[in-house]
């Protein structure tokens, strides 16, 4: 019984060390601070979206690819509406028709 408890406690402690919730005050704080800066003190911030057909903008074959209706560009628009002096790039590395597992393999080989 002691071995089972010890194993459980060890597993629990290891799990806790990996499963941490980000502190809302500190998570991305340096990124957000840059969004408030104005020229000439600001610098370009890159938003990079990895994925497959959804961030690419694929809907259905009948509609086609709607890049500006994809969530990366909605995210960019929302940030620009809030931080109008920020210099932001929206970079999409996704490939339509690819799934997440294949995308991960592509990044491992590139």
């Amino acid at each position: 019984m002691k071995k089972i408890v010890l194993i459980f406690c060890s597993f629990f402690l290891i799990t806790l060390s990996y499963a941490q919730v980000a502190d809302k005050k500190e998570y991305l704080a340096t990124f957000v601070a840059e969004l408030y800066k104005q020229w000439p003190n600001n610098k370009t911030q890159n938003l990079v979206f990895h994925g497959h057909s959804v961030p690419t903008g694929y809907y259905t074959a009948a509609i086609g690819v709607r890049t500006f209706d994809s969530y990366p560009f909605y995210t960019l628009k929302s940030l620009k509406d809030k931080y109008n002096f920020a210099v932001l790039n929206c970079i999409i590395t996704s490939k339509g028709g690819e799934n997440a597992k294949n995308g991960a393999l592509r990044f491992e080989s590139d």
Side-chain angles (χ1 to χ4, degrees), residues 2-109:
K2 288 182 182 180
K3 286 183 181 182
I4 293 172
V5 172
L6 182 60
I7 291 171
F8 175 76
C9 289
S10 298
F11 178 75
F12 182 72
L13 291 173
I14 290 170
T15 303
L16 281 179
S17 68
Y18 288 107
Q20 298 177 2
V21 177
D23 182 0
K24 291 181 180 182
K25 292 180 181 179
E26 293 186 26
Y27 181 68
L28 296 175
T30 55
F31 176 78
V32 173
E34 286 294 324
L35 299 179
Y36 283 105
K37 293 181 181 178
Q38 295 184 24
W39 186 87
N41 299 316
N42 61 355
K43 60 182 180 179
T44 302
Q45 300 297 309
N46 294 313
L47 306 169
V48 182
F49 296 87
H50 304 293
H52 45 84
S53 59
V54 175
T56 303
Y58 278 84
Y59 282 80
T60 65
I63 295 175
V65 180
R66 299 179 62 164
T67 304
F68 297 110
D69 290 331
S70 64
Y71 75 84
F73 282 98
Y74 285 135
T75 304
L76 176 64
K77 171 120 177 55
S78 296
L79 287 171
K80 285 300 296 173
D81 288 345
K82 185 172 181 175
Y83 308 101
N84 54 343
F85 290 103
V87 181
L88 296 171
N89 282 333
C90 183
I91 302 168
I92 303 172
T93 64
S94 58
K95 286 185 178 180
E98 182 174 72
N99 62 28
K101 185 177 180 182
N102 290 342
L105 292 173
R106 177 167 49 94
F107 284 103
E108 288 173 8
S109 65

